[in-house]
Amino acid sequence: MKKIYLLAAASLMMLSSCDLDINQDPNYPTGADITPELQFPAVISAIADASGDQMFNYGGFFAQYFEQMPEANQYNDIAELNIDESKDVFNRCYNNIYAGALMDIEDIKTKTTNTANLFACQVMRTQAFQLLVDNTSETPYSEALQGGANSSPKYDDGKTVYEGVLAELDAAEAALNGDVMTMTDPMLNKNLSQWKGYANALRLRMYLRLIDGGQSEYTAKVTALLAANNFFTGNVAWDVFRDEEGQYNPWCQSVFSLTNNHCAAYPIVSYMKSMADPRLSYAIKARTSDNTFVGQFPGSKQDPGIVGTSYKNKDVSTINYDVAHDMPIYLFTQSELQFLIAEAQMRFNNNASAAKAAYEAGVEADFALRGVSGAEGFLAAAGSWDNAADKLKLVYMQKWTALFMHDHMEAWSEIRRTDVPALSTASAAQIKANPALYTPGDLICPAVNKKGGNNIAMSMPYSSNSRKYNVNTPATARQITDKVFWDVK
């Protein structure tokens, strides 16, 4: 069944997203034979592919989970922040979301009046625009997806887009009239309660970003969500992949011939070792030189002063690609949800007991998702809520840990929102010379940083396809060090 869904979604994506101009596509298929029942899996697949493939890859570097292996060069530019529009790193994500998912949703809306179907489409539309804003802040929204009626839609600011799709989501839910979903739904099995819970989780995620972006009026909406406690169970995951070549998870498939390019980064290894975390070996392999876990300094691949001229693959811990072969693409994990609830309970309800319960549920959910035992012992020792001097930081750090190899785009976004893990004031060279300068888990400015200064990636450049086709793409190119609208710290 997984294979059927995967092939069906891939076929529809070939029709709707390959080499398309998102603003004007005279060949876009809108025939009656392409029904909402068939299109909806393609909507989910396109958004999942954007989040779970290229965003997963560059987000993994930006969240400092991944680093470039010593004896390979595929991702030097990402590791060294050497990214601009010409690199096309964001292009496929942009195409998949606009020309694939969002155009399919527009077509579905012309073919059904079923309010449950339309609500599920709106949930996916909300997540799609959330991803776009979290990458480039400004993005086409109010004038987008009009085809030939407007081939150059304006870019709206991120706050306008966030608030716009959240209002659309509220309206779609208010319009529900007892309809049941009829569209094929491999993700949540047409369970409208689960779709409502997913919508509420998206609201919580986005409200927190709006609040931290200066919109304090969303605090009441957060406390209302906590009071209602109507969230999804399990995980929201696109689980259609198989452990067979050609049917792998898309990130795994895309790096299949590049498996000597990802090693573990120094921050994630250092933090998990400091916490005696049993999850360390889940997706990270001990280095072959001495069977210990050693992460590589960010951006150090081409800095002989950091790695030395004899540094080889055997000297660092590699990423265990095996766990990714049939790994679902997680659009929202239960652990992330529980950590967001824990944060909100602490910040807005001053409810330490509820925060503790959610925090521990988040840790337990992640251990269970990885199939790793020892959550109870971890929560009684290094991960203890009661012993933590800074409980909110503990929540953030454990969320960062839990998002590793699950949702790297969200990990990168949460780092930017919370400033946790913090960016070390010590350079990679200083930390190598004196490890006592370093707090385990802190991010490290890439040793080779093509943007200069002590910084990390803060956003993505605009899509080169947008620059090519849309004359209203902002004239000033977005730099990787430019912040998105909600990142005001």
PDB file of all heavy atoms in Angstrom, residues 9 43 49 139 148 207 209 230 251 269 302 341 376 414 423 441 473:
ATOM      1  N   ALA A   9       1.345   9.612  -5.784  1.00  0.00           N
ATOM      2  CA  ALA A   9       1.718  10.991  -5.472  1.00  0.00           C
ATOM      3  C   ALA A   9       2.822  11.470  -6.384  1.00  0.00           C
ATOM      4  O   ALA A   9       2.811  12.610  -6.859  1.00  0.00           O
ATOM      5  CB  ALA A   9       2.152  11.093  -4.002  1.00  0.00           C
ATOM      6  N   VAL A  43      -0.675  16.666  -2.788  1.00  0.00           N
ATOM      7  CA  VAL A  43      -0.505  17.877  -1.980  1.00  0.00           C
ATOM      8  C   VAL A  43       0.411  17.574  -0.798  1.00  0.00           C
ATOM      9  O   VAL A  43       1.407  18.273  -0.542  1.00  0.00           O
ATOM     10  CB  VAL A  43      -1.863  18.402  -1.483  1.00  0.00           C
ATOM     11  CG1 VAL A  43      -1.679  19.479  -0.421  1.00  0.00           C
ATOM     12  CG2 VAL A  43      -2.691  18.941  -2.648  1.00  0.00           C
ATOM     13  N   ASP A  49       7.896  16.504   0.746  1.00  0.00           N
ATOM     14  CA  ASP A  49       9.159  16.419   0.024  1.00  0.00           C
ATOM     15  C   ASP A  49       9.992  17.679   0.225  1.00  0.00           C
ATOM     16  O   ASP A  49      11.214  17.599   0.396  1.00  0.00           O
ATOM     17  CB  ASP A  49       8.902  16.194  -1.466  1.00  0.00           C
ATOM     18  CG  ASP A  49      10.187  15.961  -2.242  1.00  0.00           C
ATOM     19  OD1 ASP A  49      10.764  14.870  -2.114  1.00  0.00           O
ATOM     20  OD2 ASP A  49      10.618  16.880  -2.961  1.00  0.00           O
ATOM     21  N   THR A 139       7.151  36.387   0.919  1.00  0.00           N
ATOM     22  CA  THR A 139       6.848  35.383  -0.103  1.00  0.00           C
ATOM     23  C   THR A 139       5.552  35.790  -0.802  1.00  0.00           C
ATOM     24  O   THR A 139       4.716  36.494  -0.216  1.00  0.00           O
ATOM     25  CB  THR A 139       6.720  33.982   0.540  1.00  0.00           C
ATOM     26  OG1 THR A 139       6.870  32.972  -0.449  1.00  0.00           O
ATOM     27  CG2 THR A 139       5.396  33.798   1.276  1.00  0.00           C
ATOM     28  N   GLY A 148      -2.420  32.981 -15.265  1.00  0.00           N
ATOM     29  CA  GLY A 148      -2.237  34.056 -16.224  1.00  0.00           C
ATOM     30  C   GLY A 148      -2.848  35.368 -15.805  1.00  0.00           C
ATOM     31  O   GLY A 148      -2.514  36.424 -16.362  1.00  0.00           O
ATOM     32  N   TYR A 207       1.672  30.767  16.580  1.00  0.00           N
ATOM     33  CA  TYR A 207       1.384  31.802  17.585  1.00  0.00           C
ATOM     34  C   TYR A 207       2.645  32.146  18.384  1.00  0.00           C
ATOM     35  O   TYR A 207       2.912  33.325  18.680  1.00  0.00           O
ATOM     36  CB  TYR A 207       0.304  31.329  18.556  1.00  0.00           C
ATOM     37  CG  TYR A 207      -1.093  31.210  18.006  1.00  0.00           C
ATOM     38  CD1 TYR A 207      -2.070  30.506  18.716  1.00  0.00           C
ATOM     39  CD2 TYR A 207      -1.462  31.795  16.795  1.00  0.00           C
ATOM     40  CE1 TYR A 207      -3.368  30.398  18.245  1.00  0.00           C
ATOM     41  CE2 TYR A 207      -2.758  31.676  16.305  1.00  0.00           C
ATOM     42  CZ  TYR A 207      -3.707  30.976  17.031  1.00  0.00           C
ATOM     43  OH  TYR A 207      -4.992  30.851  16.547  1.00  0.00           O
ATOM     44  N   ARG A 209       5.678  31.972  17.449  1.00  0.00           N
ATOM     45  CA  ARG A 209       6.581  32.777  16.616  1.00  0.00           C
ATOM     46  C   ARG A 209       6.061  34.204  16.475  1.00  0.00           C
ATOM     47  O   ARG A 209       6.843  35.162  16.496  1.00  0.00           O
ATOM     48  CB  ARG A 209       6.779  32.097  15.256  1.00  0.00           C
ATOM     49  CG  ARG A 209       7.627  30.847  15.412  1.00  0.00           C
ATOM     50  CD  ARG A 209       7.900  30.066  14.153  1.00  0.00           C
ATOM     51  NE  ARG A 209       8.516  28.810  14.568  1.00  0.00           N
ATOM     52  CZ  ARG A 209       8.609  27.717  13.841  1.00  0.00           C
ATOM     53  NH1 ARG A 209       8.139  27.712  12.596  1.00  0.00           N
ATOM     54  NH2 ARG A 209       9.193  26.625  14.306  1.00  0.00           N
ATOM     55  N   ASN A 230      -6.835  20.273  22.621  1.00  0.00           N
ATOM     56  CA  ASN A 230      -7.349  19.476  21.506  1.00  0.00           C
ATOM     57  C   ASN A 230      -6.273  19.365  20.425  1.00  0.00           C
ATOM     58  O   ASN A 230      -6.280  20.096  19.430  1.00  0.00           O
ATOM     59  CB  ASN A 230      -8.612  20.128  20.929  1.00  0.00           C
ATOM     60  CG  ASN A 230      -9.211  19.327  19.788  1.00  0.00           C
ATOM     61  OD1 ASN A 230      -8.929  18.137  19.633  1.00  0.00           O
ATOM     62  ND2 ASN A 230     -10.022  19.976  18.976  1.00  0.00           N
ATOM     63  N   TRP A 251      15.127  12.269   1.233  1.00  0.00           N
ATOM     64  CA  TRP A 251      16.453  12.739   1.605  1.00  0.00           C
ATOM     65  C   TRP A 251      17.464  11.613   1.473  1.00  0.00           C
ATOM     66  O   TRP A 251      18.539  11.801   0.890  1.00  0.00           O
ATOM     67  CB  TRP A 251      16.463  13.275   3.041  1.00  0.00           C
ATOM     68  CG  TRP A 251      17.850  13.642   3.497  1.00  0.00           C
ATOM     69  CD1 TRP A 251      18.566  14.742   3.122  1.00  0.00           C
ATOM     70  CD2 TRP A 251      18.704  12.884   4.369  1.00  0.00           C
ATOM     71  NE1 TRP A 251      19.807  14.720   3.714  1.00  0.00           N
ATOM     72  CE2 TRP A 251      19.924  13.600   4.487  1.00  0.00           C
ATOM     73  CE3 TRP A 251      18.555  11.684   5.068  1.00  0.00           C
ATOM     74  CZ2 TRP A 251      20.990  13.143   5.279  1.00  0.00           C
ATOM     75  CZ3 TRP A 251      19.611  11.235   5.851  1.00  0.00           C
ATOM     76  CH2 TRP A 251      20.813  11.955   5.953  1.00  0.00           C
ATOM     77  N   VAL A 269      26.900  16.200  19.136  1.00  0.00           N
ATOM     78  CA  VAL A 269      27.636  15.107  19.788  1.00  0.00           C
ATOM     79  C   VAL A 269      28.044  15.524  21.194  1.00  0.00           C
ATOM     80  O   VAL A 269      27.878  14.756  22.162  1.00  0.00           O
ATOM     81  CB  VAL A 269      28.865  14.701  18.949  1.00  0.00           C
ATOM     82  CG1 VAL A 269      29.726  13.689  19.712  1.00  0.00           C
ATOM     83  CG2 VAL A 269      28.429  14.110  17.612  1.00  0.00           C
ATOM     84  N   GLN A 302      37.602  22.837   5.316  1.00  0.00           N
ATOM     85  CA  GLN A 302      38.672  23.431   4.521  1.00  0.00           C
ATOM     86  C   GLN A 302      39.533  24.396   5.340  1.00  0.00           C
ATOM     87  O   GLN A 302      40.110  25.326   4.798  1.00  0.00           O
ATOM     88  CB  GLN A 302      38.077  24.150   3.300  1.00  0.00           C
ATOM     89  CG  GLN A 302      37.285  23.209   2.397  1.00  0.00           C
ATOM     90  CD  GLN A 302      36.832  23.856   1.109  1.00  0.00           C
ATOM     91  OE1 GLN A 302      37.485  23.744   0.088  1.00  0.00           O
ATOM     92  NE2 GLN A 302      35.690  24.533   1.168  1.00  0.00           N
ATOM     93  N   ILE A 341       4.031  22.770  24.238  1.00  0.00           N
ATOM     94  CA  ILE A 341       3.067  22.895  25.338  1.00  0.00           C
ATOM     95  C   ILE A 341       3.794  23.204  26.640  1.00  0.00           C
ATOM     96  O   ILE A 341       3.364  24.066  27.429  1.00  0.00           O
ATOM     97  CB  ILE A 341       2.223  21.609  25.463  1.00  0.00           C
ATOM     98  CG1 ILE A 341       1.292  21.460  24.249  1.00  0.00           C
ATOM     99  CG2 ILE A 341       1.418  21.610  26.760  1.00  0.00           C
ATOM    100  CD1 ILE A 341       0.578  20.118  24.175  1.00  0.00           C
ATOM    101  N   GLU A 376      13.129   6.705  31.222  1.00  0.00           N
ATOM    102  CA  GLU A 376      12.883   6.899  32.652  1.00  0.00           C
ATOM    103  C   GLU A 376      14.175   7.238  33.385  1.00  0.00           C
ATOM    104  O   GLU A 376      14.215   8.171  34.204  1.00  0.00           O
ATOM    105  CB  GLU A 376      12.252   5.643  33.247  1.00  0.00           C
ATOM    106  CG  GLU A 376      11.890   5.775  34.716  1.00  0.00           C
ATOM    107  CD  GLU A 376      11.201   4.537  35.270  1.00  0.00           C
ATOM    108  OE1 GLU A 376      10.926   3.604  34.489  1.00  0.00           O
ATOM    109  OE2 GLU A 376      10.934   4.509  36.490  1.00  0.00           O
ATOM    110  N   GLU A 414      13.331  26.883  15.326  1.00  0.00           N
ATOM    111  CA  GLU A 414      13.247  27.052  16.773  1.00  0.00           C
ATOM    112  C   GLU A 414      14.531  27.615  17.363  1.00  0.00           C
ATOM    113  O   GLU A 414      14.504  28.376  18.337  1.00  0.00           O
ATOM    114  CB  GLU A 414      12.872  25.728  17.435  1.00  0.00           C
ATOM    115  CG  GLU A 414      11.418  25.329  17.201  1.00  0.00           C
ATOM    116  CD  GLU A 414      10.448  26.324  17.835  1.00  0.00           C
ATOM    117  OE1 GLU A 414      10.107  26.149  19.017  1.00  0.00           O
ATOM    118  OE2 GLU A 414      10.046  27.295  17.153  1.00  0.00           O
ATOM    119  N   LEU A 423      24.659  30.672  20.539  1.00  0.00           N
ATOM    120  CA  LEU A 423      25.854  30.716  19.706  1.00  0.00           C
ATOM    121  C   LEU A 423      27.049  31.035  20.593  1.00  0.00           C
ATOM    122  O   LEU A 423      27.078  32.072  21.265  1.00  0.00           O
ATOM    123  CB  LEU A 423      25.695  31.777  18.613  1.00  0.00           C
ATOM    124  CG  LEU A 423      26.902  32.011  17.693  1.00  0.00           C
ATOM    125  CD1 LEU A 423      27.270  30.736  16.934  1.00  0.00           C
ATOM    126  CD2 LEU A 423      26.609  33.147  16.717  1.00  0.00           C
ATOM    127  N   GLY A 441      26.743  21.739  23.500  1.00  0.00           N
ATOM    128  CA  GLY A 441      25.481  22.031  22.834  1.00  0.00           C
ATOM    129  C   GLY A 441      25.438  23.399  22.192  1.00  0.00           C
ATOM    130  O   GLY A 441      24.635  23.628  21.281  1.00  0.00           O
ATOM    131  N   THR A 473       9.841  39.982  -7.588  1.00  0.00           N
ATOM    132  CA  THR A 473      10.769  39.478  -6.580  1.00  0.00           C
ATOM    133  C   THR A 473      11.572  40.661  -6.053  1.00  0.00           C
ATOM    134  O   THR A 473      12.053  41.481  -6.841  1.00  0.00           O
ATOM    135  CB  THR A 473      11.718  38.432  -7.189  1.00  0.00           C
ATOM    136  OG1 THR A 473      10.951  37.361  -7.713  1.00  0.00           O
ATOM    137  CG2 THR A 473      12.683  37.894  -6.139  1.00  0.00           C
TER     138      THR A 473
END
